[in-house]
PDB file of all heavy atoms in Angstrom:
ATOM      1  N   ASP A   4       0.772  -1.186   0.028  1.00  0.00           N
ATOM      2  CA  ASP A   4      -0.054   0.005  -0.075  1.00  0.00           C
ATOM      3  C   ASP A   4       0.883   1.280   0.039  1.00  0.00           C
ATOM      4  O   ASP A   4       0.568   2.205  -0.671  1.00  0.00           O
ATOM      5  CB  ASP A   4      -0.926   0.074   1.118  1.00  0.00           C
ATOM      6  CG  ASP A   4      -1.872  -1.014   1.171  1.00  0.00           C
ATOM      7  OD1 ASP A   4      -2.282  -1.671   0.100  1.00  0.00           O
ATOM      8  OD2 ASP A   4      -2.563  -1.461   2.276  1.00  0.00           O
ATOM      9  N   LEU A   5       1.824   1.152   0.876  1.00  0.00           N
ATOM     10  CA  LEU A   5       2.770   2.361   0.935  1.00  0.00           C
ATOM     11  C   LEU A   5       3.539   2.644  -0.404  1.00  0.00           C
ATOM     12  O   LEU A   5       3.712   3.767  -0.891  1.00  0.00           O
ATOM     13  CB  LEU A   5       3.784   2.191   2.024  1.00  0.00           C
ATOM     14  CG  LEU A   5       3.215   2.032   3.396  1.00  0.00           C
ATOM     15  CD1 LEU A   5       4.205   1.813   4.466  1.00  0.00           C
ATOM     16  CD2 LEU A   5       2.299   3.350   3.837  1.00  0.00           C
ATOM     17  N   LYS A   6       3.985   1.519  -1.050  1.00  0.00           N
ATOM     18  CA  LYS A   6       4.626   1.578  -2.357  1.00  0.00           C
ATOM     19  C   LYS A   6       3.620   2.181  -3.336  1.00  0.00           C
ATOM     20  O   LYS A   6       4.034   2.966  -4.240  1.00  0.00           O
ATOM     21  CB  LYS A   6       5.288   0.308  -2.760  1.00  0.00           C
ATOM     22  CG  LYS A   6       6.027   0.443  -4.058  1.00  0.00           C
ATOM     23  CD  LYS A   6       6.590  -0.954  -4.380  1.00  0.00           C
ATOM     24  CE  LYS A   6       7.459  -0.860  -5.592  1.00  0.00           C
ATOM     25  NZ  LYS A   6       7.184   0.114  -6.547  1.00  0.00           N
ATOM     26  N   ALA A   7       2.467   1.699  -3.388  1.00  0.00           N
ATOM     27  CA  ALA A   7       1.434   2.206  -4.275  1.00  0.00           C
ATOM     28  C   ALA A   7       1.217   3.712  -4.206  1.00  0.00           C
ATOM     29  O   ALA A   7       0.970   4.398  -5.210  1.00  0.00           O
ATOM     30  CB  ALA A   7       0.074   1.321  -4.127  1.00  0.00           C
ATOM     31  N   MET A   8       1.189   4.138  -2.871  1.00  0.00           N
ATOM     32  CA  MET A   8       1.009   5.595  -2.739  1.00  0.00           C
ATOM     33  C   MET A   8       2.130   6.368  -3.353  1.00  0.00           C
ATOM     34  O   MET A   8       1.858   7.397  -4.108  1.00  0.00           O
ATOM     35  CB  MET A   8       0.950   5.986  -1.202  1.00  0.00           C
ATOM     36  CG  MET A   8      -0.410   5.700  -0.507  1.00  0.00           C
ATOM     37  SD  MET A   8      -0.608   6.522   1.058  1.00  0.00           S
ATOM     38  CE  MET A   8       0.916   6.115   1.874  1.00  0.00           C
ATOM     39  N   ALA A   9       3.312   5.860  -3.172  1.00  0.00           N
ATOM     40  CA  ALA A   9       4.493   6.684  -3.644  1.00  0.00           C
ATOM     41  C   ALA A   9       4.505   6.561  -5.298  1.00  0.00           C
ATOM     42  O   ALA A   9       4.722   7.603  -5.823  1.00  0.00           O
ATOM     43  CB  ALA A   9       5.725   6.043  -3.190  1.00  0.00           C
ATOM     44  N   ASP A  10       4.176   5.349  -5.790  1.00  0.00           N
ATOM     45  CA  ASP A  10       4.084   5.274  -7.181  1.00  0.00           C
ATOM     46  C   ASP A  10       3.035   6.110  -7.902  1.00  0.00           C
ATOM     47  O   ASP A  10       3.190   6.731  -8.881  1.00  0.00           O
ATOM     48  CB  ASP A  10       3.770   3.744  -7.601  1.00  0.00           C
ATOM     49  CG  ASP A  10       5.026   2.866  -7.327  1.00  0.00           C
ATOM     50  OD1 ASP A  10       6.088   3.384  -7.093  1.00  0.00           O
ATOM     51  OD2 ASP A  10       4.796   1.655  -7.361  1.00  0.00           O
ATOM     52  N   ARG A  11       1.794   6.185  -7.210  1.00  0.00           N
ATOM     53  CA  ARG A  11       0.696   7.145  -7.621  1.00  0.00           C
ATOM     54  C   ARG A  11       1.111   8.531  -7.852  1.00  0.00           C
ATOM     55  O   ARG A  11       0.731   9.351  -8.580  1.00  0.00           O
ATOM     56  CB  ARG A  11      -0.464   6.771  -6.970  1.00  0.00           C
ATOM     57  CG  ARG A  11      -1.285   5.602  -7.273  1.00  0.00           C
ATOM     58  CD  ARG A  11      -2.497   5.314  -6.472  1.00  0.00           C
ATOM     59  NE  ARG A  11      -3.003   3.912  -6.779  1.00  0.00           N
ATOM     60  CZ  ARG A  11      -3.874   3.409  -6.074  1.00  0.00           C
ATOM     61  NH1 ARG A  11      -4.314   3.893  -4.840  1.00  0.00           N
ATOM     62  NH2 ARG A  11      -4.208   2.089  -6.216  1.00  0.00           N
ATOM     63  N   CYS A  12       1.756   8.900  -6.607  1.00  0.00           N
ATOM     64  CA  CYS A  12       2.235  10.334  -6.554  1.00  0.00           C
ATOM     65  C   CYS A  12       3.190  10.598  -7.679  1.00  0.00           C
ATOM     66  O   CYS A  12       3.060  11.722  -8.424  1.00  0.00           O
ATOM     67  CB  CYS A  12       2.933  10.647  -5.262  1.00  0.00           C
ATOM     68  SG  CYS A  12       1.871  10.793  -3.867  1.00  0.00           S
ATOM     69  N   GLN A  13       4.066   9.776  -7.965  1.00  0.00           N
ATOM     70  CA  GLN A  13       5.110   9.958  -9.014  1.00  0.00           C
ATOM     71  C   GLN A  13       4.506   9.994 -10.317  1.00  0.00           C
ATOM     72  O   GLN A  13       4.838  10.800 -11.166  1.00  0.00           O
ATOM     73  CB  GLN A  13       6.251   8.889  -8.832  1.00  0.00           C
ATOM     74  CG  GLN A  13       7.329   9.040  -9.870  1.00  0.00           C
ATOM     75  CD  GLN A  13       8.355   7.984  -9.828  1.00  0.00           C
ATOM     76  OE1 GLN A  13       8.067   6.905  -9.344  1.00  0.00           O
ATOM     77  NE2 GLN A  13       9.500   8.123 -10.444  1.00  0.00           N
ATOM     78  N   ALA A  14       3.616   8.981 -10.498  1.00  0.00           N
ATOM     79  CA  ALA A  14       2.860   8.928 -12.007  1.00  0.00           C
ATOM     80  C   ALA A  14       2.161  10.270 -12.137  1.00  0.00           C
ATOM     81  O   ALA A  14       2.015  10.666 -13.222  1.00  0.00           O
ATOM     82  CB  ALA A  14       1.976   7.643 -11.985  1.00  0.00           C
ATOM     83  N   ALA A  15       1.426  10.625 -11.194  1.00  0.00           N
ATOM     84  CA  ALA A  15       0.648  11.973 -11.248  1.00  0.00           C
ATOM     85  C   ALA A  15       1.379  13.148 -11.732  1.00  0.00           C
ATOM     86  O   ALA A  15       1.153  13.859 -12.520  1.00  0.00           O
ATOM     87  CB  ALA A  15      -0.175  12.203 -10.007  1.00  0.00           C
ATOM     88  N   VAL A  16       2.570  13.397 -10.955  1.00  0.00           N
ATOM     89  CA  VAL A  16       3.432  14.461 -11.253  1.00  0.00           C
ATOM     90  C   VAL A  16       4.020  14.284 -12.674  1.00  0.00           C
ATOM     91  O   VAL A  16       4.202  15.200 -13.451  1.00  0.00           O
ATOM     92  CB  VAL A  16       4.567  14.484 -10.118  1.00  0.00           C
ATOM     93  CG1 VAL A  16       5.504  15.482 -10.619  1.00  0.00           C
ATOM     94  CG2 VAL A  16       3.840  14.980  -8.860  1.00  0.00           C
ATOM     95  N   LEU A  17       4.713  13.134 -12.969  1.00  0.00           N
ATOM     96  CA  LEU A  17       5.167  12.962 -14.205  1.00  0.00           C
ATOM     97  C   LEU A  17       4.116  13.069 -15.451  1.00  0.00           C
ATOM     98  O   LEU A  17       4.447  13.631 -16.521  1.00  0.00           O
ATOM     99  CB  LEU A  17       5.891  11.629 -14.270  1.00  0.00           C
ATOM    100  CG  LEU A  17       7.081  11.450 -13.459  1.00  0.00           C
ATOM    101  CD1 LEU A  17       7.641   9.993 -13.626  1.00  0.00           C
ATOM    102  CD2 LEU A  17       8.174  12.422 -13.747  1.00  0.00           C
ATOM    103  N   GLY A  18       2.969  12.576 -15.009  1.00  0.00           N
ATOM    104  CA  GLY A  18       1.869  12.674 -16.207  1.00  0.00           C
ATOM    105  C   GLY A  18       1.395  14.111 -16.451  1.00  0.00           C
ATOM    106  O   GLY A  18       1.234  14.453 -17.572  1.00  0.00           O
ATOM    107  N   ALA A  19       1.347  14.907 -15.325  1.00  0.00           N
ATOM    108  CA  ALA A  19       0.975  16.290 -15.594  1.00  0.00           C
ATOM    109  C   ALA A  19       2.058  16.978 -16.216  1.00  0.00           C
ATOM    110  O   ALA A  19       1.804  17.876 -17.138  1.00  0.00           O
ATOM    111  CB  ALA A  19       0.604  16.876 -14.112  1.00  0.00           C
ATOM    112  N   ALA A  20       3.285  16.802 -15.961  1.00  0.00           N
ATOM    113  CA  ALA A  20       4.407  17.359 -16.638  1.00  0.00           C
ATOM    114  C   ALA A  20       4.479  17.102 -18.026  1.00  0.00           C
ATOM    115  O   ALA A  20       4.566  17.875 -18.898  1.00  0.00           O
ATOM    116  CB  ALA A  20       5.734  16.945 -15.975  1.00  0.00           C
ATOM    117  N   LYS A  21       4.251  15.842 -18.280  1.00  0.00           N
ATOM    118  CA  LYS A  21       4.238  15.312 -19.797  1.00  0.00           C
ATOM    119  C   LYS A  21       3.138  15.909 -20.610  1.00  0.00           C
ATOM    120  O   LYS A  21       3.226  16.290 -21.679  1.00  0.00           O
ATOM    121  CB  LYS A  21       4.144  13.750 -19.855  1.00  0.00           C
ATOM    122  CG  LYS A  21       4.296  13.254 -21.273  1.00  0.00           C
ATOM    123  CD  LYS A  21       4.151  11.760 -21.366  1.00  0.00           C
ATOM    124  CE  LYS A  21       4.408  11.278 -22.756  1.00  0.00           C
ATOM    125  NZ  LYS A  21       4.322   9.952 -22.903  1.00  0.00           N
ATOM    126  N   ALA A  22       1.921  15.933 -19.905  1.00  0.00           N
ATOM    127  CA  ALA A  22       0.789  16.476 -20.569  1.00  0.00           C
ATOM    128  C   ALA A  22       1.055  17.958 -20.952  1.00  0.00           C
ATOM    129  O   ALA A  22       0.600  18.546 -21.975  1.00  0.00           O
ATOM    130  CB  ALA A  22      -0.538  16.329 -19.806  1.00  0.00           C
ATOM    131  N   THR A  23       1.578  18.698 -19.997  1.00  0.00           N
ATOM    132  CA  THR A  23       1.761  20.135 -20.169  1.00  0.00           C
ATOM    133  C   THR A  23       2.835  20.325 -21.335  1.00  0.00           C
ATOM    134  O   THR A  23       2.691  21.203 -22.102  1.00  0.00           O
ATOM    135  CB  THR A  23       2.305  20.678 -18.868  1.00  0.00           C
ATOM    136  OG1 THR A  23       1.295  20.571 -17.845  1.00  0.00           O
ATOM    137  CG2 THR A  23       2.462  22.285 -19.001  1.00  0.00           C
ATOM    138  N   ASN A  24       3.863  19.578 -21.282  1.00  0.00           N
ATOM    139  CA  ASN A  24       4.821  19.661 -22.381  1.00  0.00           C
ATOM    140  C   ASN A  24       4.267  19.334 -23.667  1.00  0.00           C
ATOM    141  O   ASN A  24       4.492  20.095 -24.717  1.00  0.00           O
ATOM    142  CB  ASN A  24       5.990  18.644 -22.184  1.00  0.00           C
ATOM    143  CG  ASN A  24       6.960  19.195 -21.118  1.00  0.00           C
ATOM    144  OD1 ASN A  24       6.872  20.419 -20.616  1.00  0.00           O
ATOM    145  ND2 ASN A  24       7.667  18.289 -20.410  1.00  0.00           N
ATOM    146  N   GLU A  25       3.379  18.415 -23.798  1.00  0.00           N
ATOM    147  CA  GLU A  25       2.685  17.986 -25.015  1.00  0.00           C
ATOM    148  C   GLU A  25       1.851  19.266 -25.494  1.00  0.00           C
ATOM    149  O   GLU A  25       1.692  19.590 -26.682  1.00  0.00           O
ATOM    150  CB  GLU A  25       1.769  16.756 -24.999  1.00  0.00           C
ATOM    151  CG  GLU A  25       2.678  15.562 -24.776  1.00  0.00           C
ATOM    152  CD  GLU A  25       3.509  15.202 -25.953  1.00  0.00           C
ATOM    153  OE1 GLU A  25       3.094  15.456 -27.047  1.00  0.00           O
ATOM    154  OE2 GLU A  25       4.596  14.695 -25.876  1.00  0.00           O
ATOM    155  N   TYR A  26       1.146  19.953 -24.481  1.00  0.00           N
ATOM    156  CA  TYR A  26       0.291  21.067 -24.825  1.00  0.00           C
ATOM    157  C   TYR A  26       1.057  22.157 -25.450  1.00  0.00           C
ATOM    158  O   TYR A  26       0.648  22.803 -26.391  1.00  0.00           O
ATOM    159  CB  TYR A  26      -0.419  21.479 -23.471  1.00  0.00           C
ATOM    160  CG  TYR A  26      -1.214  22.852 -23.652  1.00  0.00           C
ATOM    161  CD1 TYR A  26      -2.481  22.891 -24.068  1.00  0.00           C
ATOM    162  CD2 TYR A  26      -0.593  23.957 -23.127  1.00  0.00           C
ATOM    163  CE1 TYR A  26      -3.137  24.151 -24.283  1.00  0.00           C
ATOM    164  CE2 TYR A  26      -1.250  25.189 -23.287  1.00  0.00           C
ATOM    165  CZ  TYR A  26      -2.550  25.183 -23.774  1.00  0.00           C
ATOM    166  OH  TYR A  26      -3.163  26.442 -23.858  1.00  0.00           O
ATOM    167  N   VAL A  27       2.271  22.438 -24.768  1.00  0.00           N
ATOM    168  CA  VAL A  27       3.200  23.508 -25.279  1.00  0.00           C
ATOM    169  C   VAL A  27       3.563  23.245 -26.651  1.00  0.00           C
ATOM    170  O   VAL A  27       3.643  24.071 -27.634  1.00  0.00           O
ATOM    171  CB  VAL A  27       4.301  23.737 -24.275  1.00  0.00           C
ATOM    172  CG1 VAL A  27       5.411  24.596 -24.875  1.00  0.00           C
ATOM    173  CG2 VAL A  27       3.914  24.273 -23.000  1.00  0.00           C
ATOM    174  N   GLN A  28       4.001  21.939 -27.004  1.00  0.00           N
ATOM    175  CA  GLN A  28       4.435  21.476 -28.237  1.00  0.00           C
ATOM    176  C   GLN A  28       3.347  21.664 -29.363  1.00  0.00           C
ATOM    177  O   GLN A  28       3.514  22.088 -30.322  1.00  0.00           O
ATOM    178  CB  GLN A  28       4.932  20.060 -28.279  1.00  0.00           C
ATOM    179  CG  GLN A  28       6.229  19.901 -27.625  1.00  0.00           C
ATOM    180  CD  GLN A  28       7.324  20.664 -28.264  1.00  0.00           C
ATOM    181  OE1 GLN A  28       7.306  20.928 -29.555  1.00  0.00           O
ATOM    182  NE2 GLN A  28       8.282  21.066 -27.532  1.00  0.00           N
ATOM    183  N   GLY A  29       2.111  21.372 -28.954  1.00  0.00           N
ATOM    184  CA  GLY A  29       0.910  21.493 -29.749  1.00  0.00           C
ATOM    185  C   GLY A  29       0.672  22.962 -30.081  1.00  0.00           C
ATOM    186  O   GLY A  29       0.362  23.490 -31.327  1.00  0.00           O
TER     187      GLY A  29
END
């Protein structure tokens, strides 16, 4: 459970950063 929390936090931050970069590229 603790590992899943850390993984979800990391995935959310990386996903938001990637989506924003794609938006800027678009």
Side-chain angles (χ1 to χ4, degrees):
D4 295 336
L5 299 177
K6 183 174 179 343
M8 277 195 316
D10 290 346
R11 286 179 185 163
C12 287
Q13 182 180 21
V16 169
L17 293 176
K21 183 177 180 183
T23 303
N24 287 336
E25 293 293 328
Y26 172 81
V27 170
Q28 287 299 327

